[in-house]
Amino acid sequence: MSNTTRVLILGHSFIKRLFMKIIHTWDSKLVQNLNVREAGVRTRFLGFPGGNISRLLKDEHHRIRREILKYPPDIVVLQIGGNDLDCEKFNLHVYISNVVSFINILQGTYGEKKVVVCEIFGRLSLRIPTHVYHYGKQFIDQYFYLQFENHPTVNFWFHRSRLVAQDKLFLSDGVHLNVEGTRRFFRSLRGAVLNAIK
């Protein structure tokens, strides 16, 4: 990769909320590049409230296309899955197929060098039975981990239990992260990026 590694953090509302926290609360000059500017990393964020993989695939208003063409990233970090999984009509095989299709679009159409697929977050408040959600999450995370374990251009990133399994890190809505959860999410994304540029 060149001296500057461009990273696009892409996904659902967690990404938009993190970006807003960086811009309005934290020192944006310090953290807008995930505190890895010394490694030549420049970061941008694109989050869709309520976003799911179908919405990313459709890219109805061409926001993803415009962002990638304007700012061609070397690495795309993908945080998706919670909104897909927490739905009565969820189809496990269709979801997996759609994520793979989206990765193929990123790499085949836009020429992204590397894609990082992140672990799905747990939720305290669900529309479906808890055991169904967590079984689906575990299956998907394990599937992508094994699928991409030795892949040269696609990584899987576990946020691990320090972030996804602690009730105290969520807001009262049981879905979104509180301030401490957001800080830990930030640090985990930083780890995902550093791992991807090794």
Side-chain angles (χ1 to χ4, degrees), residues 163-179:
L163 180 57
V164 297
Q166 296 196 33
D167 296 358
K168 65 182 182 181
L169 301 179
F170 289 85
L171 293 171
S172 59
D173 66 7
V175 173
H176 297 102
L177 297 170
N178 61 22
V179 172

Side-chain angles (χ1 to χ4, degrees), residues 39-179:
V41 174
R42 297 185 64 192
T43 308
R44 291 175 70 97
F45 301 82
L46 184 58
F48 299 86
N52 56 33
I53 193 62
S54 296
R55 184 172 175 188
L56 298 191
L57 274 170
K58 289 176 184 174
D59 194 20
E60 191 172 17
H61 300 291
H62 308 292
R63 287 183 60 199
I64 298 171
R65 177 177 173 78
R66 285 198 305 269
E67 180 68 25
I68 288 176
L69 293 178
K70 178 181 177 183
Y71 177 85
D74 300 295
I75 300 170
V76 175
V77 179
L78 184 61
Q79 181 69 63
I80 202 75
N83 296 321
D84 299 85
L85 192 50
D86 191 15
C87 176
E88 292 180 2
K89 297 180 180 179
F90 176 74
N91 184 304
L92 189 66
H93 302 291
V94 170
Y95 173 79
I96 289 172
S97 176
N98 283 345
V99 171
V100 171
S101 294
F102 189 66
I103 292 170
N104 289 338
I105 289 169
L106 290 173
Q107 294 189 317
T109 303
Y110 297 117
E112 307 311 338
K113 297 178 180 72
K114 186 166 280 190
V115 176
V116 179
V117 179
C118 291
E119 176 183 7
I120 296 173
F121 275 81
R123 292 187 173 192
L124 305 182
S125 178
L126 292 162
R127 292 185 288 260
I128 63 172
T130 302
H131 71 279
V132 174
Y133 183 92
H134 291 288
Y135 170 79
K137 167 185 156 38
Q138 184 178 22
F139 182 93
I140 292 165
D141 290 340
Q142 193 66 22
Y143 176 87
F144 283 133
Y145 168 72
L146 293 173
Q147 185 78 7
F148 302 134
E149 187 176 14
N150 297 307
H151 198 287
T153 60
V154 184
N155 293 353
F156 183 82
W157 180 256
F158 278 110
H159 294 301
R160 307 206 181 275
S161 59
R162 67 180 178 271
L163 180 57
V164 297
Q166 296 196 33
D167 296 358
K168 65 182 182 181
L169 301 179
F170 289 85
L171 293 171
S172 59
D173 66 7
V175 173
H176 297 102
L177 297 170
N178 61 22
V179 172

Side-chain angles (χ1 to χ4, degrees), residues 1-6 74-75 113-114 196-197:
M1 293 184 184
S2 64
N3 291 335
T4 298
T5 301
R6 294 184 172 193
D74 300 295
I75 300 170
K113 297 178 180 72
K114 186 166 280 190
I197 62 177

